[in-house]
Amino acid sequence: MTTPLLNTKLHIPRTCYHLVPRPRLIERLEAGLHHGHSLTLIAAPAGFGKTTLVTEWLHSRSESISSCTVFWLSLDSGDNDPARFFAYLIAAIRQIDERVGQATQSLLGSPQMPPIESMAATLVNDMDVIPTPFILVLDDYQLIHNKLIHDALTFLLDHQPSQLHLLIVTRTDPPLPLPRLRVRRQMTEIRADDLRFTEEEAATFLNQALGLMLTDKEIAALEARTEGWIAGLHLAALSMQGKDDIAGFIDAFSGSNRHVIDYLADEVLARQSEDIRDFLHRTSILERFCAPLCHAVTGRSNSDEILRQLEQANLFLVPLDDQREWYRYHRLFADFLRTELAPDQSAALHLLAAYWFEAHDLLPEAVNHILAHTAATGDTKEAVRMITLAGSRAMSEGALVTLLGWLDALPDESVRNNGWLSSFKAWCLLMIGQSETAITYIQSAEAGLEHGASPVDHGRVLSLRCAVSDARHVIRIAPQALDLIGDADPLTRTATLFVLGDAQDALGDVVGASQTFQDAYHLAQKHGHQIIAAIALAHRAISINYQGRRREALGICQCGVEQYVDTYDNPLPVAGLLYVVLGELAYEANHLEEAHQYLQTGLDLGRKSATTLVILYSLESLAQVLYAMERRQEALAMIRETQNLSSQVGEIEWRCAGAAIEAHLLLKEGDIQGACRWADGIELPLSDPLDQTRKHEYTSYIRVLLALGKAGEAQTLLAKLERAAREDGRHRHLLTIHIQQALAEHKLGSEAAAPDYLAKALRLAAPEGYVRAFLDEDSELVQLLPLARDTAPAFVDQLLAAFALSCPKVHLPIDQPLVDPLSEREIEILRLMATDLSVPEIAEELVVAISTVRSHVKHIYEKLDAHSRYEAVERARSLRLL
């Protein structure tokens, strides 16, 4: 469930009817836009009319507004959470085109926010599809102090789409690369000295807009006293109403802006009725407000009438929409009003505001007000309740900065004594990599469980314990957690299912894991957790492939990548792992070009979402594909890069797997000594129970044993691996085991047993197209495969043809009389041509374009000297290619 956003933050504020035209500044804004400047910066202290100037300019452009779209975002302190900032930014852009921002939005669904540069890069790509020039206005940027957001804007300025013009309104200079933009003349700057009213503008403002009848001398004196400060002039004008001695009044104040505002605001308030003063004070605690919210805070029923009066009286009320529903006070005026409130009165008002926002499902705003109440009173009861209510949603949206800020605002004792809050803090700390501290909050959550605690509370704490436990312990406690949670907490249930699936997979139960991942996918999909759903679907495909069902896994991934695209059919970052698995499945079938393309896409998407699993997985798989494509040095460099990266991020299992793959590639290079150094340096359990998480290492270790002539040792270990793989239903691993058993028997001189093992392997491989399982092993298989040809004749011929292409020096035991041999892809299509499948159905079966199949069919006809499908199939059969 997504937190509702305050739409008023996205509206261009209305222009005031007492507006003073400022053509000299409007011209500068237009010039910056015309000259293609990247940034317009309007920076000045409060009360200088920054926002008013921008709204005047934008509304004055109404005739050309269609050629330059405007996106507006009014910022507040709550937007310091990158997840919330990006959510509002996307919402602003989507007011024009709902299709924009889908990729960035998909990343926001991650409980763990990707690196900010990745988010910014995705947003830049999203913006780049907007066809027309547009202006993005960020108002009140001085309220942003999160470095990650500053970094995101820096990235945006460095990689800015040509059609974007960024306009920042702020009291202070933001930490952005302003000097560089100045030197390159890519920035328009308007500052306090530019914004000050001239005497002419002051005269227009005071006499025409506000209806005063001041002399030129009085206007000049007042302008000099205020130094053209617009807020000071405005307050002075309000204070002068009804006074006889205007000159004396003008002489009565001087000094800094702070002193002027205090003096004049006090003068203004003194002239209001008691009811109006009470209303102003009570509503001053609100960042923005509407009549119903004012009703709740003031206890009145005529707030809409009072708001209209205040607007007519020019009492620093800023309208935020054209419907006159939402307003805010000028910030200086609001600051002054708040100083007039007693702490206990302010606390009570914040409590009322919190209840109103809660009732309208605006939970972040509700929590901010309740925390202000808590800070003043020390009473944490309601804050604990509201943060408990809002925490799950913040977790699901990845708003970790916001959630941690709420929790840190409470006394640590209050967090640790509440099961929900200690659980939230533990999850947040786990997600930002502070596992040791997280465990202390898990312990607090466990200790805080009372006899009267609900089953959900117990389940949630057990789920947390799963996140920091080894696989065997997870298998024991995760089912208990799921039973206790039931359907009451979907987010925690999804997380628990995912951890359980990982544990089942690690312990070899791929059948159980595939079902668990399927359950996690359906639950995440139902509740809108896109990233979790996509990763669970990919993990399910991996488990299905482990079971030896490559084609089914292929279908799962293909459906997944079709599901996770934007309106323009570009893949969303959440689909990264699905593309990596597609690449691995294509590699299994020896479709190397497709595998490379899928894996490169997966790697790019993984880097966008900064998902370590996706990056490591894609790099390891790419290394193997590159080696098969005879780009051997690239492959070795990449697998070493993978090991370095996995060491840096603490993924030891991935580092070990990468080292095993490197040892295999060294063997292929003929570097037996290098492979032996790896084998001598690992501590691999060789007696029961075998560690099923190290399957890559077992496979490469056996290859080293066979290369060293230790076939007996290899056969003993293979027998243990066979039993375990058969019991677990890991038929893909069993396939490799049988191939290696055939090679071991061949080396031992047992020519009768070798074909039997190969026949077992072929029965697993042929229906699913597992070609690389054979090509990745010793080329001695070329001599053994014909002995088991009767098991799968067409598939064996396909394998022999593939060996001929990948290992030209290998002598094939059968002749291919073709001058230009068929490729492995062409043989696969030829086999399907021998069935009743049409060309579109063949394309669907192979998950390729129809045009690709037609191109291959044309080449098949040419190579076989055939002129029809029937003729091609018969010719292939006569050549024993089918």
Side-chain angles (χ1 to χ4, degrees), residues 3-13 58 68-75 79 83-102 104-105 108 123 126-127 130 133-139 153 156 164-167:
T3 298
L5 301 178
L6 278 169
N7 288 330
T8 51
K9 287 162 60 74
L10 312 177
H11 293 169
I12 302 174
L58 296 178
C68 194
T69 306
V70 178
F71 305 127
W72 184 284
L73 175 55
S74 294
L75 298 165
D79 297 320
R84 186 174 170 89
F85 179 84
F86 276 102
Y88 269 109
L89 206 53
I90 294 168
I93 297 172
R94 281 190 169 178
Q95 290 184 112
I96 305 300
D97 190 340
E98 277 291 331
R99 300 171 298 174
V100 177
Q102 290 171 302
T104 313
Q105 185 70 49
L108 294 180
L123 183 63
D126 281 339
M127 288 179 170
I130 299 174
F134 63 97
I135 301 169
L136 173 61
V137 181
L138 300 179
D139 192 17
L153 279 193
L156 177 60
L164 166 64
H165 183 82
L166 182 63
L167 194 158

Side-chain angles (χ1 to χ4, degrees), residues 213-419:
M213 300 300 293
L214 302 182
T215 66
D216 291 345
K217 181 178 179 182
E218 289 168 338
I219 290 171
L222 192 57
E223 194 276 337
R225 287 285 186 175
T226 60
E227 297 181 340
W229 181 42
I230 300 171
L233 284 167
H234 191 176
L235 279 167
L238 292 173
S239 302
M240 283 188 290
Q241 291 175 356
K243 288 188 180 294
D244 296 327
D245 185 8
I246 299 298
F249 172 82
I250 293 173
D251 290 335
F253 70 90
S254 62
S256 68
N257 287 355
R258 181 69 262 171
H259 292 141
V260 171
I261 196 75
D262 287 350
Y263 171 73
L264 294 179
D266 192 34
E267 282 279 316
V268 171
L269 281 181
R271 296 182 176 276
Q272 307 306 315
S273 68
E274 186 176 345
D275 277 356
I276 294 294
R277 286 200 302 272
D278 181 68
F279 182 91
L280 290 170
H281 283 126
R282 287 177 177 272
T283 54
S284 67
I285 61 135
L286 303 169
E287 288 282 343
R288 50 185 56 79
F289 43 83
C290 58
L293 175 54
C294 293
H295 292 339
V297 171
T298 65
R300 299 170 179 273
S301 59
N302 63 338
S303 299
D304 47 353
E305 180 182 338
I306 294 177
L307 289 173
R308 282 196 297 272
Q309 292 177 19
L310 294 177
E311 188 176 8
Q312 291 170 2
N314 299 325
L315 271 179
F316 289 89
L317 193 67
V318 180
L320 297 178
D321 54 45
D322 291 331
Q323 292 74 38
R324 293 184 176 179
E325 291 181 2
W326 284 84
Y327 299 86
R328 70 170 173 86
Y329 293 122
H330 189 287
R331 296 194 184 279
L332 275 175
F333 192 55
D335 289 345
F336 173 79
L337 291 172
R338 290 174 193 141
T339 63
E340 300 267 297
L341 286 173
D344 58 340
Q345 186 183 13
S346 176
L349 294 169
H350 279 295
L351 183 63
L352 293 171
Y355 287 146
W356 188 90
F357 280 112
E358 180 187 4
H360 289 78
D361 203 31
L362 297 166
L363 296 182
E365 288 76 13
V367 172
N368 290 336
H369 281 287
I370 202 64
L371 286 174
H373 171 266
T374 297
T377 64
D379 183 1
T380 62
K381 182 179 178 181
E382 284 299 279
V384 167
R385 183 185 66 79
M386 287 193 188
I387 295 174
T388 300
L389 188 66
S392 292
R393 190 181 293 176
M395 285 276 296
S396 68
E397 295 171 356
L400 301 184
V401 173
T402 294
L403 182 52
L404 278 172
W406 293 343
L407 296 170
D408 289 343
L410 293 174
D412 193 54
E413 183 182 3
S414 297
V415 175
R416 290 187 179 276
N417 288 341
N418 180 277

Side-chain angles (χ1 to χ4, degrees), residues 510-511 543-549 725-738 760-761 764-765 770:
V510 293
V511 176
S543 296
I544 293 292
N545 187 48
Y546 283 167
Q547 295 172 55
R549 292 146 54 193
R726 196 179 300 281
E727 289 172 2
D728 296 336
R730 289 181 288 109
H731 292 155
R732 173 60 188 87
H733 193 200
L734 190 61
L735 164 58
T736 295
I737 291 168
H738 286 327
K760 292 178 182 179
L764 293 171
Y770 286 112

Side-chain angles (χ1 to χ4, degrees), residues 807-844:
C807 307
K809 295 180 181 180
V810 173
H811 175 69
L812 292 177
I814 60 173
D815 294 327
Q816 277 207 65
L818 298 178
V819 176
D820 187 2
L822 296 174
S823 69
E824 66 270 21
R825 178 56 110 186
E826 290 165 349
I827 290 174
E828 186 172 14
I829 289 176
L830 185 60
R831 180 167 57 82
L832 294 173
M833 288 170 64
T835 68
D836 294 331
L837 294 178
S838 65
V839 168
E841 288 170 336
I842 292 174
E844 184 178 357

Side-chain angles (χ1 to χ4, degrees), residues 113 134 183 220 224 291 397 407 425 445 517 568 790 867 877:
M113 175 66 69
F134 63 97
V183 170
E397 295 171 356
L407 296 170
K425 189 144 190 179
F517 285 130
Y568 303 95
D790 290 344
H867 303 285
R877 282 176 174 152

Side-chain angles (χ1 to χ4, degrees), residues 108-217:
L108 294 180
S110 173
Q112 186 170 0
M113 175 66 69
I116 206 68
E117 185 172 303
S118 175
M119 288 287 294
T122 306
L123 183 63
V124 167
N125 291 335
D126 281 339
M127 288 179 170
D128 202 35
V129 304
I130 299 174
T132 57
F134 63 97
I135 301 169
L136 173 61
V137 181
L138 300 179
D139 192 17
D140 280 328
Y141 193 79
Q142 76 278 351
L143 297 173
I144 299 299
H145 50 76
N146 188 310
K147 182 180 182 298
L148 294 176
I149 296 175
H150 298 321
D151 291 345
L153 279 193
T154 298
F155 185 94
L156 177 60
L157 287 166
D158 288 342
H159 304 82
Q160 192 163 332
S162 59
Q163 64 270 41
L164 166 64
H165 183 82
L166 182 63
L167 194 158
I168 294 178
V169 182
T170 179
R171 293 185 187 179
T172 58
D173 278 10
L176 301 175
L178 303 182
R180 185 169 73 234
L181 293 172
R182 285 193 195 100
V183 170
R184 296 177 180 175
R185 297 185 178 180
Q186 293 177 344
M187 179 170 66
T188 301
E189 292 182 80
I190 295 179
R191 300 203 169 261
D193 285 344
D194 305 306
L195 289 163
R196 297 180 194 279
F197 273 172
T198 63
E199 283 191 31
E200 183 180 352
E201 288 171 331
T204 301
F205 178 64
L206 294 168
N207 286 349
Q208 295 182 24
L210 298 183
L212 299 177
M213 300 300 293
L214 302 182
T215 66
D216 291 345
K217 181 178 179 182

Side-chain angles (χ1 to χ4, degrees), residues 159 300 756 782 805:
H159 304 82
R300 299 170 179 273
D756 289 342
V782 170
L805 290 171

